[in-house]
């Protein structure tokens, strides 16, 4: 329920190694580059959405064991980890894939699905603002699901909290 992103780095026993608060849309973590290897980073997403490409690239580059994002709007914990270290080319392909599926383009099946969900929510009486937050959360989740099917090195799941 924080209005800004906050990240917490944990060791395998649940001890807090580092925490930092950022802005509404991001938290910069250059301080943890050398202590993050094989650790778990948990952070909140005030928007409620799943991971951004920057989250996944950060996970890979610093060698996190797992990254988690918690979004209050839909009540889920998003988890991602890697089965092997991807090449730079694979990372770039992932970022292109994510960004191309996040584009507001009615020819894009995931975007069409998001537009349909928005219409259903508004018809049910959900406010436009809340419908937008729910749709954002679902849309980013769908993109990550598709990405984890396409990029075998990326593992992803969403759990109810």
């Amino acid at each position: 329920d924080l209005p800004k992103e906050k990240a917490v780095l944990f060791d395998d026993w649940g001890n807090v190694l580092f925490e930092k608060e950022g802005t509404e849309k991001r938290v910069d973590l250059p301080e943890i580059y050398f202590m993050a290897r094989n650790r778990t980073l948990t952070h909140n997403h005030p928007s409620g959405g799943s991971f951004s490409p920057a989250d996944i690239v950060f996970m890979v580059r610093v060698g996190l064991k797992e990254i988690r994002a918690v979004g209050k709007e839909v009540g889920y914990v998003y988890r991602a980890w890697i089965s092997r270290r991807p090449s730079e080319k694979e990372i770039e392909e992932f970022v292109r894939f994510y960004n191309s599926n996040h584009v507001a383009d009615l020819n894009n099946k995931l975007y069409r699905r998001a537009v349909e969900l928005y219409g259903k929510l508004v018809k049910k009486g959900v406010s436009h603002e809340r419908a937008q937050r729910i749709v954002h959360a679902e849309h980013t989740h769908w993109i990550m699901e598709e990405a984890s099917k396409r990029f075998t090195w990326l593992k992803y799941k969403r759990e109810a909290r």
Side-chain angles (χ1 to χ4, degrees):
D1 291 2
L2 297 171
K4 296 179 180 178
E5 278 199 23
K6 181 176 182 177
V8 182
L9 184 68
F10 295 95
D11 67 16
D12 287 343
W13 298 275
N15 298 308
V16 174
L17 301 175
F18 183 83
E19 60 185 290
K20 184 176 179 182
E21 189 173 291
T23 67
E24 185 179 307
K25 295 187 184 258
R26 65 183 292 149
V27 58
D28 292 317
L29 300 166
E31 305 93 338
I32 72 166
Y33 270 73
F34 298 106
M35 67 173 97
R37 186 158 211 73
N38 295 319
R39 308 288 189 197
T40 299
L41 181 75
T42 299
H43 66 298
N44 68 311
H45 279 175
S47 68
S50 185
F51 299 107
S52 69
D55 288 330
I56 301 302
V57 171
F58 180 79
M59 174 185 65
V60 170
R61 294 242 161 88
V62 303
L64 287 169
K65 178 166 70 176
E66 182 177 337
I67 190 167
R68 297 176 186 164
V70 181
K72 78 171 191 172
E73 189 61 50
V74 291
Y76 293 108
V77 175
Y78 304 99
R79 299 177 56 212
W81 62 99
I82 57 174
S83 60
R84 65 171 176 77
R85 184 162 176 82
S87 68
E88 283 301 311
K89 183 180 178 192
E90 289 173 310
I91 294 169
E92 290 170 12
E93 288 170 1
F94 163 76
V95 171
R96 272 195 304 279
F97 172 83
Y98 188 104
N99 289 335
S100 69
N101 279 287
H102 202 270
V103 170
D105 177 359
L106 288 174
N107 292 320
N108 177 308
K109 76 173 186 175
L110 295 179
Y111 184 75
R112 280 196 318 269
R113 192 171 161 193
V115 170
E116 289 169 14
L117 175 59
Y118 179 81
K120 288 177 185 175
L121 290 168
V122 171
K123 255 187 184 170
K124 287 183 176 180
V126 175
S127 73
H128 290 284
E129 185 179 286
R130 182 150 191 265
Q132 286 174 336
R133 288 193 310 267
I134 292 169
V135 167
H136 169 73
E138 290 301 308
H139 189 210
T140 56
H141 167 64
W142 298 332
I143 293 171
M144 286 300 300
E145 280 185 320
E146 291 294 319
S148 68
K149 290 175 191 169
R150 179 176 288 213
F151 302 97
T152 57
W153 53 267
L154 177 63
K155 306 302 175 194
Y156 170 79
K157 73 183 201 175
R158 176 172 83 171
E159 301 170 339
R161 55 179 182 127

